[in-house]
Amino acid sequence: YGQLAGCFGILSAILLSDYTNLTTASAALKNTITTLAAENHNLTLLNEELKKDRKNLSDIIEHMEKTGNELNVSRAQWSVEAYCPREAGDRKCNSCQKGWKPNFSSCYAYNDHKSSNWRNWEGAREDCRTKISDLLVVANEKEKVKTISPAIKGITGYWIGLRAVNGKWRWIDGSDLIDRTWIKQHPAEDGHCVTTLTNKGWKSVSCNETRAWICEKKALTL
């Protein structure tokens, strides 16, 4: 009988331990289920937010496309008015806008204001940009010779898109000046830009000085 009681006691202890372990596991499982339920709820909320964001993005894209189309129409209308103005009720198209001189495949604007309205190199370039253009970049000897830079109204030179960068003459399109015979002065230091003037050639001048300037843009192909 004593042995039986001892075995019963051991069995009871084992069962109690198993019960305790099962109770602990059950509690842990309940906590896991609660955590998963909370995460599922959060994911559901996040999914709803993503749906709203997607809808908002779709609306924004649709608005941008509509605005873009309207801008394209406005640009097209601007181009028509700029290059094909009405004259006596009819439209006549030109390769360059009014006030611009055509030459080769480009249009040139000679900003030959009075000296009080001259600009430094950066200011001249900014003016060109407001006209959807940039300072003159000379492609070859023919353009160099044919580009007009008249010495009128006391003008001592016109800014072009050439300046000293790291000891080299460099165009605003990023290319280096190839033909060094076009300007005798060496680009010894940054802060110097180039002016041109008929019968006077090209000259290195401090970019901070004020001069007239030449803007260039592509001509309209008719």
Side-chain angles (χ1 to χ4, degrees), residues 145-161:
V145 173
K146 293 292 185 181
T147 300
I148 303 169
S149 51
I152 58 174
K153 302 177 183 177
I155 289 176
T156 56
Y158 294 80
W159 290 126
I160 60 176

Side-chain angles (χ1 to χ4, degrees), residues 44-156:
T44 300
L45 294 177
L46 179 59
N47 184 52
E48 292 298 323
E49 289 295 325
L50 289 174
K51 287 181 179 179
K52 291 179 181 178
D53 290 344
R54 182 178 180 181
K55 176 64 167 56
N56 291 336
L57 286 173
S58 296
D59 291 342
I60 291 172
I61 291 172
E62 182 179 354
H63 176 72
M64 290 178 66
E65 289 176 345
K66 180 180 179 181
T67 302
N69 290 333
E70 291 174 349
L71 285 174
N72 288 334
V73 171
S74 296
R75 291 191 186 101
Q77 185 62 42
W78 175 86
S79 297
V80 170
E81 298 297 335
Y83 291 91
C84 305
R86 288 188 180 278
E87 296 180 4
D90 295 325
R91 289 194 181 276
K92 181 181 179 181
C93 294
N94 304 291
S95 57
C96 296
Q97 296 169 249
K98 185 177 181 180
W100 293 71
K101 297 182 182 298
N103 205 351
F104 307 104
S105 59
S106 295
C107 303
Y108 304 90
Y110 301 93
N111 298 276
D112 49 5
H113 311 295
K114 294 181 180 180
S115 59
S116 58
N117 293 321
W118 292 351
R119 297 190 178 192
N120 61 21
W121 190 87
E122 286 289 352
R125 189 177 188 193
E126 180 61 28
D127 175 75
C128 290
R129 285 171 168 170
T130 63
K131 299 173 181 176
I132 317 178
S133 63
D134 213 329
L135 288 171
L136 168 67
V137 173
V138 179
N140 50 51
E141 181 70 28
K142 186 176 181 181
E143 184 178 16
K144 176 177 178 290
V145 173
K146 293 292 185 181
T147 300
I148 303 169
S149 51
I152 58 174
K153 302 177 183 177
I155 289 176
T156 56

